[in-house]
């Protein structure tokens, strides 16, 4: 059957949520990674910071270093939190030697007060580097994009927490160099990819193999990260200065898009790296220049009609982030 690809123009406005929606509140932790970490300053690749957000007000605590993977400036990439909240899975790192393997790390955060959590590491065969990490809907495995075209990485995940051996999964279809992947509530897989000339795409993964790709949307701006938002049942994509909402079924229309640069001071440079949320109409965006940006769209359900946008400096060279909300 022929496949239709939608160009990323915004669809007609969806109806706004009812006036008087309950204000969103979150008190919890934000885990984040950094692309590079100076070797001589005792900084960490994986960090945690306490966070309180309420109706346009953001408060961050003191950054707590959690894990450093070597004394070298190897850097970290994506991260994801296990379904039970007791582990943070992190990708990236070559150990500094040319031609050596990348690695997947599991940081045991069962004890939320620990400042020195245990870290377990799995090497990635074939010289691939794990980039963005997603936990499969079963909660029993993780899948990562890699720096090698045509290769995803997969490993089992136990509640211990412990990763099984990392296995490559061959990717074929419309796109083979995937930037990030995400899954909806029903286990359907989606991806974003960046073409050789800078054009961006969103597509679906075959439900049976999670290996065959079908392009659904074109015209995205440097897509780096994709997130399934259970609050709106839409996909959210970030990259460059844009955040975009896309429907999860045919015709895969772009519902709304926002150039975040237009709602921040003009002097603020932006290079959006990651997006996460909390199923309550608030998105958390990571900018490589060190900003965390909180976009509150709980009332409108559209990113182009936010009730508030708050930006605060967190740490230099941000790579990825994940939110754990303990109270709402």
């Amino acid at each position: 059957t022929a496949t239709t690809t939608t160009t990323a123009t915004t669809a007609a406005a969806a109806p706004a949520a009812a006036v008087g929606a309950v204000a969103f509140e979150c008190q919890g932790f934000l885990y984040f990674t950094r692309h590079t970490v100076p070797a001589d300053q005792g900084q960490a690749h994986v960090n945690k910071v306490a966070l309180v957000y309420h109706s346009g007000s953001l408060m961050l605590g003191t950054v707590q270093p959690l894990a450093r993977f070597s004394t070298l400036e190897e850097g970290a990439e994506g991260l994801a939190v296990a379904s039970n909240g007791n582990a943070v899975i992190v990708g990236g790192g070559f150990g500094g030697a040319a031609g050596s393997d990348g690695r997947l790390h599991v940081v045991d955060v069962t004890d939320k007060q620990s400042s020195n959590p245990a870290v377990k590491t799995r090497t990635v065969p074939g010289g691939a580097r794990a980039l963005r990490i997603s936990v499969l809907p079963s909660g029993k495995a993780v899948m990562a994009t890699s720096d090698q075209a045509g290769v995803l990485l997969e490993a089992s995940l136990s509640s211990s927490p412990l990763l099984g051996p990392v296995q490559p999964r061959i990717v074929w279809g419309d796109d083979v160099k995937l930037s990030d992947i995400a899954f909806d509530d029903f286990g359907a897989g989606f991806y974003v990819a960046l073409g050789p000339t800078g054009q961006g795409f969103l597509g679906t993964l075959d439900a049976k193999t999670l290996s065959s790709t079908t392009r659904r949307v074109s015209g995205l701006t440097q897509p780096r990260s994709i997130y399934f938002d259970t609050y709106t049942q839409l996909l959210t994509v970030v990259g460059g200065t844009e955040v975009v909402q896309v429907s999860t079924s045919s015709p895969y229309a772009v519902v709304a898009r926002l150039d975040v640069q237009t709602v921040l001071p003009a002097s603020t440079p932006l290079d959006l790296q990651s997006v996460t949320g909390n199923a309550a109409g608030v998105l958390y965006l990571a900018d490589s220049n060190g900003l965390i940006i909180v976009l509150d769209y709980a009332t409108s359900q559209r990113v182009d009609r936010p009730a508030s946008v708050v930006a605060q400096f967190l740490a230099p060279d941000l790579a990825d982030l994940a939110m754990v909300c303990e109270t709402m």
Side-chain angles (χ1 to χ4, degrees):
T1 333
T3 301
T4 302
T5 300
T6 302
T7 302
T9 54
T10 307
V19 176
V22 177
F24 174 78
E25 182 173 356
C26 173
Q27 180 173 339
F29 295 100
L30 185 74
Y31 296 103
F32 65 92
T33 51
R34 295 174 58 190
H35 283 301
T36 57
V37 178
D40 58 350
Q41 297 180 20
Q43 299 180 43
H45 295 102
V46 185
N47 304 268
K48 180 176 76 170
V49 63
L51 177 149
V52 177
Y53 176 80
H54 178 72
S55 299
S57 174
L58 173 66
M59 292 179 288
L60 298 176
T62 302
V63 173
Q64 176 184 340
L66 284 183
R68 185 182 181 92
F69 302 134
S70 79
T71 58
L72 303 168
E73 294 184 32
E74 66 175 45
E77 291 288 345
L79 84 164
V81 178
S83 301
N84 62 8
N86 290 339
V88 177
I89 304 94
V90 185
F94 291 99
S100 62
D101 290 337
R103 291 178 279 178
L104 271 179
H105 308 275
V106 177
V107 183
D108 188 339
V109 292
T110 304
D111 180 0
K112 299 298 185 289
Q113 305 306 315
S114 174
S115 59
N116 188 29
V119 179
K120 301 169 185 176
T121 300
R122 286 283 190 181
T123 58
V124 178
R129 183 176 187 178
L131 300 179
R132 300 292 175 172
I133 316 292
S134 294
V135 178
L136 270 64
S138 67
K140 297 180 179 180
V142 298
M143 187 172 285
T145 58
S146 81
D147 61 343
Q148 295 185 357
V151 177
L152 290 174
L153 304 169
E154 188 173 5
S156 61
L157 176 65
S158 71
S159 57
S160 312
L162 184 67
L163 278 178
V166 181
Q167 303 291 338
R169 178 186 287 270
I170 303 304
V171 178
W172 68 90
D174 292 338
D175 296 294
V176 296
K177 184 67 170 65
L178 310 186
S179 301
D180 195 10
I181 56 178
F183 298 92
D184 68 12
D185 287 339
F186 303 100
F190 303 88
Y191 70 87
V192 286
L194 190 62
T197 60
Q199 70 272 40
F201 308 108
L202 179 147
T204 53
L205 294 169
D206 175 72
K208 292 183 178 180
T209 66
L210 295 181
S211 296
S212 176
T213 64
T214 302
R215 188 179 295 169
R216 303 294 187 179
V217 176
S218 63
L220 298 175
T221 304
Q222 301 176 343
R224 299 270 179 77
S225 179
I226 183 172
Y227 162 73
F228 174 69
D229 181 10
T230 58
Y231 183 73
T232 60
Q233 296 292 301
L234 297 173
L235 297 164
T236 304
V237 178
V238 300
T241 64
E242 278 198 335
V243 54
V244 182
Q245 289 174 300
V246 182
S247 58
T248 59
S249 58
S250 183
Y252 300 97
V254 171
V255 175
R257 65 193 311 162
L258 173 70
D259 184 344
V260 181
Q261 191 77 73
T262 63
V263 292
L264 293 176
S267 60
T268 306
L270 278 185
D271 181 20
L272 297 176
Q273 297 288 313
S274 178
V275 57
T276 190
N278 240 323
V282 176
L283 294 176
Y284 300 85
L285 314 178
D287 163 54
S288 66
N289 299 294
L291 290 179
I292 174 175
I293 301 164
V294 183
L295 187 78
D296 188 333
Y297 62 110
T299 300
S300 71
Q301 300 188 33
R302 292 174 58 98
V303 296
D304 59 349
R305 300 177 187 171
S308 66
V309 180
V310 183
Q312 190 169 329
F313 183 79
L314 178 58
D317 208 15
L318 290 179
D320 202 358
L321 49 78
M323 186 69 205
V324 175
C325 210
E326 296 185 329
T327 61
M328 286 197 296

